[in-house]
Amino acid sequence: MPEGPSILLMKESIQKFEGEKVIEAGGNAKIDKEILTGRTLKQIKTFGKQTYLVFDDVAVRIHLLMFGSHSVDEQTKPDRQLRLSLIFSNGSMYFYTCNVKMVDTEFLKKIDWEADVMSDNWKPLKAEKKLKSNPEMMVCDALMDQDIFSGVGNIIKNEVLFRIGVQPESLLGKMPPKKIKELIKEARNYSFDFLEWKRDFTLKKHWKAHTKKICPKCGENLIKKQTGKGKRRSFYCEIDQELYQ
DNA sequence: TGCCATGTTAAACT
DNA sequence: GAGTTTAACATGGC
């Protein structure tokens, strides 16, 4: 579930609670839930894979990690441990298997919102600068770097690299400037394609490389390999994706 | 049925 | 102290 586009969909699904007052907070999250009772949910903000439920002077940060999920106005209780629930007069939201943290609203001011690839404030030039200052970095690590491409996850990484024809272990400093520009453009572009496909429940159908065995361009076998510092799995075609090193 | 994974942090190492 | 590796979290899909 939890790459940037999925988080935007989650935000949409809980948008109706913005401006509503918390009647009750529950779940096993290790935060002081009591203080939320009676407070108004002022705003819901997302930054990459993180969601912030903003109240007057505090914000609840929710990160779905790898297997997190959520539901709205659920009728029957799933047999999972409830991490956090917020009950409002017009319904309720539930979060499971996620990291929940209470932060000061001051904390929000320190976030580099312009690093969020799906945000209106996304600054491609800023990303370009960050990439230029890391010539030794592998492109697969760069895409997964939440300070550069906040919201991009492993699926997006694999699909973007396939689209622009770049091998995941390519070094940023060795890639032609044109490729760097394509990289930045597609990181955002593909994220929005992901968003629409996810909304239509057709995301997997559109995967070209991720978890695939055969290259859709040339028909050869795709390589599956753990790449980069993060050692996350990459799927790529040796013929159609050039290695810059 | 067992293994693996769309992610991150912190502890435990070297 | 820096950098690297491992564990922990806990669930759904194949």
Side-chain angles (χ1 to χ4, degrees), chain A residues 143 156-165 183 186-187 190:
Chain A
L143 271 170
I156 297 176
K157 176 197 82 181
N158 282 322
E159 293 297 314
V160 166
L161 290 176
F162 180 79
R163 275 190 174 184
I164 66 173
L183 170 73
E186 274 308 319
Y190 182 82

Side-chain angles (χ1 to χ4, degrees), chain A residues 22 24-37 39 51-55 58-63 82-86 93 95 98-104:
Chain A
V22 175
E24 195 188 334
N28 63 7
K30 291 186 184 70
I31 59 168
D32 186 3
K33 293 177 287 287
E34 308 303 316
I35 69 161
L36 297 177
T37 307
R39 283 186 200 234
T51 305
Y52 291 93
L53 307 175
V54 186
F55 296 88
V58 295
V60 177
R61 190 190 79 150
I62 294 168
H63 197 302
L82 176 64
R83 180 59 43 82
L84 180 70
S85 63
L86 292 177
M93 52 171 119
F95 300 95
C98 53
N99 180 277
V100 178
K101 199 177 167 187
M102 190 88 77
V103 300
D104 211 274

